[in-house]
Amino acid sequence: MKPPLMDLHIDTAISGFYKGFAKNVTVAGKVIVGALIIWAVAFPTQAASVLSSINGVILSTFNYWYVFVMAFFVLVCLLLAIWPASGRLKLGHPEDKPEFSNFSWFSMMFGAGIGIGMLTFATAEPMYHWASNPDTIRGITEGSSAENVRAAYVWSFTHWGLAAWAAYAIVGLSLAYFAYRRDLPLTIRSALVPLFGRSLSGPLGHTIDVVAVVATVLGVSQTLGFGVEQFVAGLSRIGFGDWLYTATADGGQKVSIMAIILALVVIMGASTLSALSGVGKGIKWLSNINMGLSFFILAFFLIFGSTFFGLQALFLGIWDYLVSIPSNILTVWAKDGTETGDALAGWQGGWTIFYWAWWIAFAPFVGVFLARISKGRTVREYVLGAIVIPAFMCFTWFAIVGGTAIDLELNGNANGAITGAGQADQLFAMLGVILSPTLAWIMSVVVVILLLTYLVTSADSAVLIINTINAAGDEGPKARPHILFWGAALAFVVGGLIIAGGLGAIQTAMVIGALPFSLVMALMGISVLKAIWRDGKREKMGVASTSAEVAATEAAN
């Protein structure tokens, strides 16, 4: 048995505007994203209609694929962590030490991977599932009742638990394994070397990296879209004026174009400046700040919220979730012509399948970022840090914050103020119920600041990761013009798609972009399993399996 491939050549420009970048990947990514922006802005009605039609076909045709591939990611990650021979492997060479402290490492992972969504959905999702979930559809429980609380948390934890973080972890694990043990480029194609070998230096590898770039842009745009809506809701709560919203034909209201522009200028301006400073400065410090503020807000709700109700929801929810994993993670509901069957299929498409696509689209960004900050850690340490701990953090937020909202509605204190608020405004509405107007204003300001730090952290990390993929895994080129381009591109994608069709347009584009990358991720899981298995055989036979061992062997000879 020979040592594994440890040299994957990727052509990069040696001079000019694209110096240090793989032009085939960079230009193709810019063209695709640019075309999407122009289409969404110039033909918003057509763009929304076409994207919606394609999205409907994907949700009805590939629902089984999304469910089973997510279950595969969970199984692969947990297997590699539990298996002694693989769990002790270091993502790097024996002498490599972690670059960041445990707190900074966890803060950056959590901030990049979930922060924005947590602020929006920690209240909104338990509230929604409390009113409607598969149990209420099947008539097992009654919506918005005390008996429906446990079912609400089963599905909230299912969507934000092990599966979500396993999608991120499988990408980061495979990239870190090949980049730091075999010195392959820190880019998506490197994770498939055990399957395709040197052919990844050509068009196949370029295509894989372009798919990753487009999926990243769409996945991050979905997250930023939710964040922009909540950011505007927060600005409205703290007194920035009625101009933030405009009336709709049905008597409701929506975020105004001027508010979208303001939010994106603030968010993307700050994130671009942070991206220019790199991971070790701006992103690290912002991550530490937002983690500190997250703990502050969580402590606030523990003290002033429905503490007992929330803790009960947390522990019962975790138990119910763990018991339900085998069925919930593998169940697929398809339309069967019955009212119940069609309703279940519609619910799963709008929630579970949407989330699985969101996590997959977000995975190239978060995965490369996790790999970038995890050098020197063991496979077991990585999996526990990237899956179990963040999932528990999400569970705690959903139980304490969302549980307070449910309890306030159950006992009548909220009197519909929370359920009647929009998804982006429910957290602020809850603060208005439990606090005096002055204190509610102060806490709303804190939430807006935290939301802004999460938005900036996610956006600047995404810009750096896109440039890392475009630069064939090289973090060296600062590429100021390219950082500015991708910062502006993210802003235009979010703004253009929101204007074209609201968050629904971003959602449909993201689901479409996630599909091809889901195949790449499945191959990544197979690839890392194959690599670790064969490296174990190499170790028994005394064959070098890392670049350091190869160098030592060559020096000895």
Side-chain angles (χ1 to χ4, degrees):
M1 179 177 287
K2 298 179 180 179
L5 176 64
M6 299 189 191
D7 178 27
L8 181 65
H9 177 72
I10 302 174
D11 284 330
T12 56
I14 59 175
S15 62
F17 183 72
Y18 288 101
K19 181 180 179 181
F21 286 82
K23 290 181 65 175
N24 290 314
V25 176
T26 308
V27 174
K30 287 181 177 180
V31 168
I32 293 172
V33 172
L36 177 62
I37 293 171
I38 294 172
W39 185 38
V41 173
F43 308 99
T45 303
Q46 181 194 54
S49 176
V50 172
L51 289 173
S52 180
S53 298
I54 297 174
N55 179 68
V57 172
I58 288 176
L59 290 180
S60 61
T61 307
F62 293 95
N63 52 347
Y64 283 92
W65 166 254
Y66 275 123
V67 168
F68 294 143
V69 81
M70 288 293 283
F72 172 69
F73 300 152
V74 175
L75 290 174
V76 170
C77 288
L78 294 181
L79 173 65
L80 292 177
I82 294 171
W83 194 260
S86 58
R88 63 178 171 77
L89 292 174
K90 180 174 284 191
L91 301 177
H93 303 308
E95 68 278 6
D96 288 336
K97 303 295 182 184
E99 180 181 357
F100 302 99
S101 68
N102 287 337
F103 182 80
S104 291
W105 179 56
F106 175 68
S107 297
M108 286 190 284
M109 282 195 304
F110 194 77
I114 218 80
I116 301 168
M118 182 184 67
L119 281 176
T120 300
F121 288 99
T123 307
E125 182 154 359
M127 289 290 293
Y128 183 94
H129 295 327
W130 177 53
S132 176
N133 61 63
D135 284 359
T136 62
I137 293 173
R138 290 177 292 185
I140 299 173
T141 58
E142 181 182 352
S144 302
S145 65
E147 67 172 348
N148 200 38
V149 174
R150 292 180 70 167
Y153 275 100
V154 166
W155 290 105
S156 296
F157 288 0
T158 295
H159 295 152
W160 294 78
L162 299 182
W165 289 94
Y168 303 156
I170 195 71
V171 176
L173 176 61
S174 56
L175 289 175
Y177 190 86
F178 297 113
Y180 302 135
R181 290 178 64 85
R182 300 184 181 179
D183 289 341
L184 293 175
L186 186 62
T187 188
I188 302 298
R189 71 178 80 184
S190 294
L192 303 183
V193 163
L195 301 180
F196 301 107
R198 295 191 185 278
S199 63
L200 291 167
S201 293
L204 175 61
H206 300 331
T207 302
I208 289 169
D209 283 348
V210 170
V211 166
V213 167
V214 174
T216 298
V217 170
L218 295 175
V220 173
S221 295
Q222 176 71 57
T223 300
L224 293 178
F226 282 124
V228 164
E229 284 213 335
Q230 190 170 32
F231 184 66
V232 172
L235 293 180
S236 177
R237 287 278 178 174
I238 61 181
F240 270 67
D242 296 335
W243 62 273
L244 296 168
Y245 290 94
T246 57
T248 59
D250 60 1
Q253 61 179 15
K254 65 178 182 179
V255 177
S256 68
I257 294 177
M258 285 303 298
I260 294 171
I261 294 173
L262 170 68
L264 289 173
V265 167
V266 172
I267 294 163
M268 297 313 302
S271 64
T272 302
L273 290 174
S274 179
L276 291 170
S277 69
V279 175
K281 295 180 181 178
I283 297 175
K284 173 184 174 181
W285 287 108
L286 277 174
S287 297
N288 288 341
I289 290 171
N290 60 38
M291 185 54 62
L293 285 175
S294 295
F295 280 123
F296 169 75
I297 293 177
L298 187 60
F300 166 83
F301 279 104
L302 273 170
I303 297 171
F304 298 103
S306 302
T307 306
F308 178 75
F309 187 96
L311 292 175
Q312 186 179 41
L314 174 63
F315 293 113
L316 288 177
I318 290 176
W319 169 256
D320 291 340
Y321 164 64
L322 293 175
V323 171
S324 72
I325 284 178
S327 60
N328 284 353
I329 204 171
L330 293 172
T331 296
V332 181
W333 287 301
K335 291 185 178 181
D336 57 6
T338 66
E339 182 178 352
T340 300
D342 290 353
L344 286 171
W347 183 93
Q348 188 174 47
W351 283 97
T352 306
I353 305 301
F354 159 68
Y355 270 126
W356 290 176
W358 188 8
W359 304 149
I360 288 170
F362 215 46
F365 149 55
V366 181
V368 176
F369 188 72
L370 292 184
R372 165 65 184 81
I373 64 176
S374 299
K375 183 178 181 179
R377 298 183 184 274
T378 65
V379 170
R380 183 173 296 112
E381 181 183 11
Y382 170 86
V383 170
L384 291 175
I387 297 181
V388 178
I389 296 176
F392 181 76
M393 184 71 173
C394 287
F395 296 164
T396 304
W397 261 84
F398 275 60
I400 300 302
V401 180
T404 297
I406 292 175
D407 189 45
L408 289 170
E409 290 291 356
L410 272 175
N411 61 32
N413 288 339
N415 197 28
I418 303 173
T419 55
Q423 175 179 280
D425 195 37
Q426 287 185 329
L427 177 58
F428 298 107
M430 179 168 54
L431 292 172
V433 171
I434 62 179
L435 296 173
S436 67
T438 301
L439 290 177
W441 184 88
I442 293 172
M443 282 301 298
S444 295
V445 171
V446 174
V447 172
V448 168
I449 293 172
L450 175 59
L451 179 62
L452 181 59
T453 63
Y454 272 133
L455 285 164
V456 172
T457 302
S458 294
D460 62 9
S461 301
V463 169
L464 286 175
I465 294 311
I466 289 170
N467 272 330
T468 298
I469 296 173
N470 287 335
D474 185 5
E475 301 170 58
K478 292 297 183 184
R480 186 178 299 267
H482 300 282
I483 289 175
L484 295 174
F485 172 86
W486 287 111
L490 283 173
F492 279 113
V493 169
V494 174
L497 289 175
I498 287 179
I499 292 170
L503 284 178
I506 301 180
Q507 175 180 329
T508 54
M510 180 270 299
V511 171
I512 295 167
L515 182 61
F517 192 69
S518 67
L519 174 60
V520 175
M521 287 177 61
L523 293 173
M524 292 172 86
I526 296 171
S527 179
V528 75
L529 285 173
K530 178 181 178 181
I532 290 176
W533 173 261
R534 291 181 66 84
D535 282 353
K537 295 178 68 174
R538 289 187 180 97
E539 183 179 357
K540 293 179 181 178
M541 298 171 64
V543 177
S545 61
T546 68
S547 57
E549 291 172 353
V550 170
T553 301
E554 292 175 349
N557 294 333

